[in-house]
Structure formats: C-alpha cells, structure tokens
C-alpha cells in the first residue's frame, strides 16, 4: 500500500537493499547534511534554538494547541534543512507545513502493519477503483497526490529561490559571483545537491526529491538472508518490524513503564547512572544497524534544547475540573508512527 500504491517506494525506505547505489547515495546525503558532525555546527544549533524560541511563543499564545505546536516545530526544522524554507510565523497554517503533514499522515496510515489487506494479498492491487471493496485504491490515489505535492512543491521552491538568487547576483556586482557563494547563501539539503550536480539529470532530480521527502519517514526492514530466531526460520525477504514501542515498554527493563519516573535513570546518589546499551531509550529509540536513524544526533539536540527551554520558561500541570480536581488524561496512541489521539477531547494542557 505505502510503497507501490501510494508511491513511497521511490524513497529511502523501499530502496533496493543496503548495498544498492541508490541506498548508499541516500545515506551519504543524510550523513553529510544531518549527520553527527553537522549536528554539532553552531549555525545548526542556533537554528534549533531559534526554532524552539518560536515554539515557546506559540505555546504561550495558545497553550491548548500544544500538540500542534510540538509537532509543527520539528516539521519546520526539517523544511528549513531540506529546502531552506522558512515557515512564516504570522500565518496560522503554513502551506508547505500543511503539504508535509498531509503526506506524512498518509504515510503513517498506509505503512501501518495490517491496516490494508492489499499488503497481505498483493493481487488485490489489480482491482479497479470502482470495484466493491476496492476503496483502498481511492485512498491510495489521494495519498499519492499528497506525496506528489511533497515531492514537487518544495523542490520547485528551491529551484525558484536559486534562480532568483542568480538573477540578484547578476545584477549586483558587490555580491561574489559563482556557485560557491550561491551554495553558502542557499544552504539546504536540496540546494547543496543541485549545486554539486551542476545541471542535474532527470534521474538525479528524482533522487533528490525522494531523498528530501524521505527525511520524514522510518520504515520496515527486509531480511537480506534467511535467519533463525528462537527456533523459527525466517526466509530471505521476510519483512521485519523492530517493535521499539514494545522494547521501551518492557516491564523487566523499565518497571511501570508508563509512569513518569525520571529517577529510574539515577543512581543512589542522585547522579545519572551509566545505562546498559539496551536499556538506554536514546539508543533503542533510533533503531538499529544500517538503517539506524540518520537524524539521531540532530534530534537528540532538538529534544534537549526544547525540553530545557520549555522547563525553564513554563510551569506545566494537569488541568482541573470544575471541582478543582486534577483531570488525569487517558491517552490513546494510534498509527505506525504513534501519535496521541485523544488529547483534544481531554483538554488537559495547562501551561501557566
Ligand atoms: C526524537 C526524534 C526521532 C526519533 C525517535 C527517530 C527514530 C527513528 C527510527 C526508530 C528510525 C527507524 C530506524 C530503523 O529502521 O532501524 C528512524 C529512521 C529515520 N529517521 Fe529518525 N528519528 C527521529 C528524528 C529524525 C529527524 C529529525 C530526522 C531528519 C531530519 C530523521 C530522519 C530519519 C530517516 C531519513 C530515517 C530512515 C533511515 C533509513 O530507512 O535508512 N529522524 N528514525
């Protein structure tokens, strides 16, 4: 559903095998633009701080919408990194953020294991859209349209910006000419690639669009060779999902996992204890092996900056009912990329 019918098979997650040139090119680009060295650059850290400052302002203005704000903030950062696009703060709904969100909602739904029968019976993909029970084809077509927009609209924005800049440089003799200076002025994942390639071929254009769109997604793995696990044989090609949710909720490792108990990470003297590799959420949470999250270092910095700044500025508490009793939210999660579903009904955000 997600790969073939919606079209995410052009992206990193479905690229043919970890040794394929396409996969390696994707990972090379990510390593260069969001890898550990890049994540330590002052310019990027300042960008993350500025982005969090915006988040604080939004939280202050409309604390009830905190879920939207918290989701929007990393989305904006990725748009900035991927396309050099700055989200307009004064607009309630930025058009590119909307495009990215819509495409990603489709991805999250389409890639959820077991959500679509066509993943189990692939022949169903040949059903015409009007056929009874083939509603998934209509859904896929809509999601595909959203994905196309995510591929094309921000890409065209980058190309347009680069042309405008070239025209400005042409007319302004005081600005240093040439591609190098353009690269500096227009530093984004896509523009750097376009500058590296000079005049990109249609294949290269397709690759960079797919790579940039892949910055939003994580995905299933497939066995490159047969393997045995706990007495079960898994043939080559078996699709495997690392169930990180279950690992991070393992009672043996994290007693009462749903309880907010930061002290679980402290030793008897109140200092941070050294965590075992498979006990450290920051290790497990980003996946494993060749497909480990390439945005890990950037994300850890983002989360650290956001948590530190939010805690410094706000007091956070549960909201109260008319009798002054705290409302304890019942939180439900949904989707392959789990998101809290019920926060709107509960109205439990109380930021003071
Ligand atoms: C707290 C934030 C984040 C978490 C918890 C997270 C977690 C993950 C996980 C679990 C995977 C799958 C790894 C696997 O398949 O083994 C993944 C993949 C990926 N992540 Fe992240 N991620 C985060 C932030 C980011 C950011 C900010 C970016 C980019 C700017 C990013 C880009 C990617 C990409 C491109 C992949 C696909 C890698 C591949 O399939 O080879 N992630 N991430």
């Amino acid at each position: 559903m997600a790969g073939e019918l919606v079209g995410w098979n052009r992206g990193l997650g479905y690229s043919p095998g970890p040794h394929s040139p396409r996969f390696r090119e994707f990972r090379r680009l990510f390593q260069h633009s969001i890898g550990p060295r890049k994540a330590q650059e002052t310019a990027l850290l300042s960008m993350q701080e500025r982005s969090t400052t915006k988040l604080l302002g939004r939280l202050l203005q409309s604390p009830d919408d905190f879920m939207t704000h918290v989701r929007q903030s990393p989305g904006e950062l990725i748009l900035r990194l991927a396309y050099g696009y700055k989200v307009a703060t004064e607009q309630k709904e930025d058009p590119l953020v909307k495009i990215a969100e819509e495409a990603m909602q489709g991805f999250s739904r389409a890639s959820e294991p077991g959500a679509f029968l066509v993943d189990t019976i692939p022949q169903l993909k040949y059903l015409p859209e009007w056929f009874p029970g083939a509603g998934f084809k209509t859904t896929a077509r809509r999601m595909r349209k959203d994905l196309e927009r995510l591929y094309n609209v921000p890409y065209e924005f980058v190309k347009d910006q680069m042309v405008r800049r070239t025209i400005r440089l042409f007319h302004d003799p005081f600005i240093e000419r040439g591609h190098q200076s353009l690269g500096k002025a227009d530093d984004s994942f896509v523009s750097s690639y376009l500058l590296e390639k000079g005049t990109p071929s249609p294949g290269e254009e397709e690759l960079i669009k797919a790579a940039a769109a892949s910055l939003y997604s994580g995905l299933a793995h497939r066995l490159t060779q047969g393997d045995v696990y706990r007495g079960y044989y898994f043939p080559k090609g078996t699709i495997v999902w690392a169930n990180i949710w279950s690992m991070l909720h393992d009672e043996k490792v994290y007693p009462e996992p749903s309880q907010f108990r930061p002290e679980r990470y402290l030793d008897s003297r109140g200092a941070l204890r050294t965590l075992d590799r498979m006990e450290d959420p920051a290790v497990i949470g980003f996946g494993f092996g060749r497909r480990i999250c390439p945005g890990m270092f950037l994300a850890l910095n983002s989360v650290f900056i956001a948590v530190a700044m939010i805690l410094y500025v706000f007091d956070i508490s549960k909201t109260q009912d008319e009798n002054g009793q705290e409302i304890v939210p019942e939180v439900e999660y949904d989707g392959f990329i789990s998101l809290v579903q019920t926060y709107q009904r509960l109205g439990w955000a109380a930021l003071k």
Side-chain angles (χ1 to χ4, degrees):
M1 179 70 179
E4 224 174 293
L5 296 184
V6 181
W8 282 96
N9 55 0
R10 285 170 289 169
L12 167 75
Y14 293 87
S15 55
H19 301 294
S20 71
R22 191 171 168 90
F23 181 86
R24 284 211 301 267
E25 181 68 348
F26 274 133
R27 295 292 308 204
R28 178 186 78 82
L29 290 170
F30 291 152
Q31 181 73 6
H32 177 71
S33 57
I34 52 172
R37 193 176 303 165
K38 182 81 184 180
Q40 292 319 318
E41 281 183 10
T42 317
L44 182 52
L45 289 164
S46 316
M47 196 196 292
Q48 287 170 289
E49 281 186 19
R50 282 198 301 275
S51 154
T52 310
T53 308
K54 269 197 224 164
L55 170 67
L56 297 181
R58 288 179 186 144
L59 286 171
L60 188 65
Q61 256 175 2
S62 52
D64 284 349
D65 294 331
F66 75 101
M67 276 299 287
T68 310
H69 303 324
V70 165
R71 284 181 56 183
Q72 196 174 358
S73 193
E76 285 180 11
L77 186 70
I78 294 182
L79 282 175
R80 177 77 179 81
L81 286 171
Y83 308 103
Y85 179 79
K86 287 185 198 135
V87 171
T89 22
E90 62 282 1
Q91 269 174 286
K92 192 154 171 50
E93 192 167 48
D94 183 275
L96 277 200
V97 171
K98 192 163 178 273
I99 286 174
E101 287 229 324
E102 281 170 355
M104 283 320 296
Q105 274 166 16
F107 171 74
S108 178
R109 265 190 71 205
S111 59
E112 191 178 345
F116 290 93
L117 195 61
V118 66
D119 287 334
T120 320
I121 312 171
Q123 289 82 351
L124 290 178
K125 71 183 173 194
Y126 298 114
L127 289 178
E129 206 176 308
W130 52 263
F131 201 78
F136 67 94
K137 297 268 302 225
T138 315
T139 309
R141 185 164 48 80
R142 286 201 195 112
M143 290 173 173
R144 195 179 189 93
K145 221 168 117 200
D146 290 342
L147 177 58
E148 286 300 331
R149 286 197 303 164
L150 178 60
Y151 265 51
N152 295 322
V153 178
Y155 181 75
E156 290 306 325
F157 164 81
V158 177
K159 283 207 339 195
D160 182 62
Q161 289 297 306
M162 291 173 79
V163 170
R164 280 166 195 264
R165 197 156 281 131
T166 311
I167 293 169
R168 271 213 310 278
L169 287 172
F170 188 75
H171 287 294
D172 189 342
F174 296 107
I175 302 177
E176 192 195 341
R177 299 234 167 112
H179 280 323
Q180 287 310 318
S181 61
L182 279 177
K184 282 204 178 71
D186 193 17
D187 189 15
S188 76
F189 181 67
V190 173
S191 67
S192 313
Y193 181 83
L194 293 180
L195 289 169
E196 181 191 310
K197 295 293 168 193
T199 312
S201 66
E204 286 167 342
E205 283 202 309
E206 192 276 331
L207 184 127
I208 191 64
K209 283 184 194 178
S214 300
L215 279 173
Y216 291 90
S217 55
L219 256 183
H221 296 212
R222 201 160 43 170
L223 291 193
T224 51
Q225 58 185 56
D227 202 358
V228 176
Y229 181 69
R230 294 193 175 174
Y232 291 95
Y233 176 66
F234 295 93
K236 179 179 172 179
T238 305
I239 291 182
V240 179
W241 309 88
N243 191 342
I244 293 174
W245 173 270
S246 133
M247 292 178 204
L248 291 176
H249 287 75
D250 185 346
E251 295 268 353
K252 290 197 283 297
V253 185
Y254 313 102
E256 298 186 272
S258 299
Q259 295 303 314
F260 179 64
R261 291 217 330 241
E263 65 276 14
R264 65 176 87 233
Y265 300 109
L266 303 179
D267 63 20
S268 51
R269 287 170 296 124
L272 269 180
R273 18 184 215 97
T274 315
L275 300 177
D276 201 59
R277 207 184 126 68
M278 288 318 283
E279 187 193 6
D280 186 347
V283 173
I284 303 170
F286 291 96
F288 319 90
R290 285 196 197 97
R291 301 288 295 280
I292 194 167
C293 173
M296 172 175 169
F297 299 95
L298 175 88
L300 282 171
N301 287 345
S302 272
V303 172
F304 181 85
I305 291 170
V307 171
M309 287 173 74
I310 288 171
L311 289 181
Y312 183 74
V313 171
F314 294 116
D315 291 326
I316 304 171
S317 65
K318 296 191 184 85
T319 197
Q320 296 174 347
D321 64 18
E322 55 282 7
N323 303 319
Q325 298 294 315
E326 268 191 352
I327 300 176
V328 180
E330 284 171 33
V331 184
E332 290 165 18
Y333 296 89
D334 194 11
F336 175 56
I337 299 168
S338 294
L339 293 175
V340 178
Q341 290 302 306
T342 51
Y343 66 93
Q344 285 139 323
R345 284 200 268 118
L346 297 163
W348 50 291
L351 291 142
K352 296 170 196 165

